[in-house]
Amino acid sequence: MNVSSANVRNMLRTYGKQLTSAKRLARFRQAMGDVEPLDDIAKQAKRRELVERIAHEVIENLIVNSEPSPVVQAVLAQLEREFGCRYIFEYPLEGGDVQILKETRSGPHDIEGSERNKVMRRLWEITLSKVDDTML
């Protein structure tokens, strides 16, 4: 699957428009007295689900695109600062799970095991944080 940064930007712009429209409609309905305010827990659960879906798209964008978007660049920069090295994420040509390469002075090296899990977990946490910070 090849997702261009333009497609991701369009998706996020459409999401922003829909979110704005939904908020206006909810305020209008509350003002009319038709609907009681949504439960705060339900709002948080919906927001969390949406943040996770968008974070998943950002990570896919990170892996499949050769030219990362600004959000992807920010995620990679933070990952690099925290681990002190640059990582490259690729899907192998023969298929399978994502491959993580660690750039070193002697060239890129494939990482596996606990280090791979640690990098993937931190990548997910950073991405969730970035997406959550940029959402209304």
Side-chain angles (χ1 to χ4, degrees), residues 6-123:
N7 288 342
V8 173
R9 281 192 305 269
N10 285 338
M11 185 262 313
L12 291 174
R13 186 179 8 224
T14 301
Y15 157 73
K17 289 178 183 177
Q18 290 173 346
L19 184 61
T20 302
S21 296
K23 285 182 177 181
R24 285 182 186 150
L25 183 58
R27 282 194 301 261
F28 177 74
R29 285 184 177 164
Q30 283 179 342
M32 297 299 292
D34 290 344
V35 178
E36 292 187 22
L38 287 177
D39 185 36
D40 193 39
I41 295 172
K43 280 184 182 178
Q44 289 175 358
K46 287 180 182 180
R47 178 185 172 86
R48 179 72 177 174
E49 180 184 346
L50 188 58
V51 166
E52 288 179 359
R53 278 192 283 161
I54 293 172
H56 183 72
E57 292 289 330
V58 168
I59 289 177
E60 281 185 9
N61 187 17
L62 175 146
I63 294 170
V64 298
N65 284 339
S66 59
E67 294 185 28
S69 69
V71 174
V72 170
Q73 288 174 344
V75 168
L76 289 175
Q78 185 171 342
L79 194 67
E80 185 175 337
R81 280 193 306 275
E82 290 183 15
F83 285 96
C85 60
R86 185 170 179 254
Y87 292 100
I88 302 168
F89 299 86
E90 296 180 346
Y91 278 115
L93 293 175
E94 65 275 359
D97 204 11
V98 66
Q99 184 179 21
I100 304 174
L101 303 172
K102 179 179 184 177
E103 280 194 1
T104 63
R105 291 183 182 169
S106 60
H109 294 285
D110 191 18
I111 63 167
E112 295 179 2
S114 65
E115 183 180 5
R116 182 184 190 286
N117 293 338
K118 185 177 177 182
V119 170
M120 286 301 288
R121 182 174 39 257
R122 190 62 192 133
L123 173 67

